[in-house]
Amino acid sequence: MDRYLVFGHPVRHSKSPFIHTLFARQTQQELEYGLAEPAVDEFAHALRTFFDQGGKGCNVTVPFKEQAFTLVDCLSPRAKRAGAVNTIKLTDDGVLLGDNTDGAGLVADLKSHGVTLADSRILLLGAGGAARGVLAPLLAELPSELVIANRTHTKAQLLAAEFHDLGPVTSQTYEQLAGPFELVINSTSASLQGALPPLAPALIHTDIAIYDMMYGASDTAFISWAKQHGARQTMDGLGMLVEQAAEAFTVWRGIRPGTKQVSRELKRNLGVI
Ligand code: ATR
């Protein structure tokens, strides 16, 4: 049977095996999908061993995405732009192809929630790996402006300069930010510590869409905060997780699974509904 897995550390709580097992059932593909948690300095060896032993493809998550970028034989254009790899496929001619489906997953999830990206003014919070991974796919949707704000402003400036050739991307400090924005995407890891990015409440209005790339069984700190200040449309990263997985499954198997039912089952599994 074709073997796939996700590499991460820690990875025990990953929902990827759950999601891909449902995709395989739905599309009647015979495959198995597991977990691997190598020590941080043993990832390269573990990756090679997996493919030497017949593995067909894998996902890569924190903290290995940047390392995976350097270990594959060739990169898709979107992985090159992201500077990170979250999906690897062994091609029929034995080449390890590195891809990145995170940004496509975010865009697909935003669209499935009816969020308009074309001609919208988008605010992206954070300038780390998560932000870098979604910039190109967001700019491909032709927003009127995409503003990056980050606690360490120089990182936002560098990121905006790096992606400037792809569209109207600028950077501002949190203090400089002036609305209105139609969409705010939180790519910071602040919610992990229950903290908030220092965003002025005045930027939140009833028609704004709020997206937190983090997720949990209950609202993230950022989503709770945005709701308190009047945001009516809030979304967390659970949908992005399922959509990036669907994109990876499509890369591996050449068949696109449906995501609606799988999202519902995942929410039930997490105790969200
Ligand atoms: P990732 O790969 O998940 O993006 P990262 O590269 O460590 O992780 O980046 C984390 C991002 O969250 C950064 O933009 C970080 O801001 P700094 O560059 O100033 O460190 C941001 N971040 C983390 N905690 C934050 C907080 N409490 N408030 C605001 N931004 C925060």
Side-chain angles (χ1 to χ4, degrees):
M1 198 178 309
D2 289 349
R3 286 196 305 121
Y4 297 83
L5 51 73
V6 55
F7 285 99
H9 198 119
V11 83
R12 227 159 301 151
H13 299 294
S14 169
K15 294 296 165 195
S16 292
F18 182 86
I19 295 169
H20 282 286
T21 301
L22 291 182
F23 284 163
R25 199 176 303 157
Q26 180 203 111
T27 57
Q28 295 174 335
Q29 298 280 299
E30 285 222 7
L31 58 88
E32 58 178 39
Y33 189 108
L35 297 168
E37 193 175 86
V40 170
D41 56 355
E42 279 170 14
F43 171 59
H45 176 71
L47 186 73
R48 209 171 316 116
T49 305
F50 171 65
F51 283 107
D52 284 350
Q53 293 178 350
K56 292 284 183 197
C58 66
N59 285 128
V60 181
T61 187
V62 180
F64 299 131
K65 289 185 192 186
E66 282 80 16
Q67 209 183 326
F69 182 86
T70 68
L71 293 172
V72 293
D73 300 319
C74 67
L75 292 161
S76 70
R78 58 190 181 180
K80 223 176 263 177
R81 269 289 179 178
V85 158
N86 81 332
T87 301
I88 301 177
K89 173 186 176 155
L90 181 67
T91 65
D92 291 341
D93 30 12
V95 170
L96 279 191
L97 170 68
D99 197 0
N100 192 312
T101 65
D102 286 332
L106 172 66
V107 168
D109 193 36
L110 284 165
K111 287 184 175 174
S112 83
H113 283 93
V115 176
T116 306
L117 299 169
D119 291 323
S120 290
R121 206 161 167 253
I122 302 174
L123 173 59
L124 178 63
L125 307 178
R132 181 186 295 273
V134 299
L135 269 170
L138 283 173
L139 288 168
E141 297 299 317
L142 307 178
S144 61
E145 190 182 6
L146 196 161
V147 178
I148 308 171
N150 192 47
R151 189 171 57 179
T152 312
H153 182 53
T154 47
K155 279 168 70 181
Q157 283 176 310
L158 286 173
L159 208 52
E162 187 182 326
F163 283 84
H164 196 66
D165 60 316
L166 295 185
V169 54
T170 60
S171 68
Q172 283 170 20
T173 64
Y174 278 100
E175 296 77 38
Q176 279 171 337
L177 287 173
F181 292 100
E182 274 105 39
L183 168 64
V184 179
I185 300 167
N186 181 20
S187 81
T188 76
S189 49
S191 284
L192 281 182
Q193 311 124 35
L196 290 168
L199 194 63
L203 290 169
I204 307 300
H205 53 88
T206 50
D207 295 326
I208 203 165
I210 299 287
Y211 199 100
D212 195 341
M213 284 165 62
M214 300 278 158
Y215 65 87
S218 54
D219 280 348
T220 66
F222 185 63
I223 286 183
S224 298
W225 176 86
K227 280 182 176 172
Q228 271 167 30
H229 292 287
R232 286 188 304 212
Q233 187 177 20
T234 58
M235 296 150 276
D236 71 14
L238 205 63
M240 177 176 170
L241 176 72
V242 176
E243 294 293 348
Q244 65 77 27
E247 186 77 16
F249 191 93
T250 309
V251 168
W252 293 326
R253 309 298 298 185
I255 177 166
R256 182 170 290 277
T259 50
K260 279 215 158 59
Q261 182 63 25
V262 174
S263 277
R264 251 194 310 274
E265 293 198 31
L266 182 59
K267 281 185 187 157
R268 212 169 291 136
N269 176 270
L270 283 168
V272 181
I273 51 171

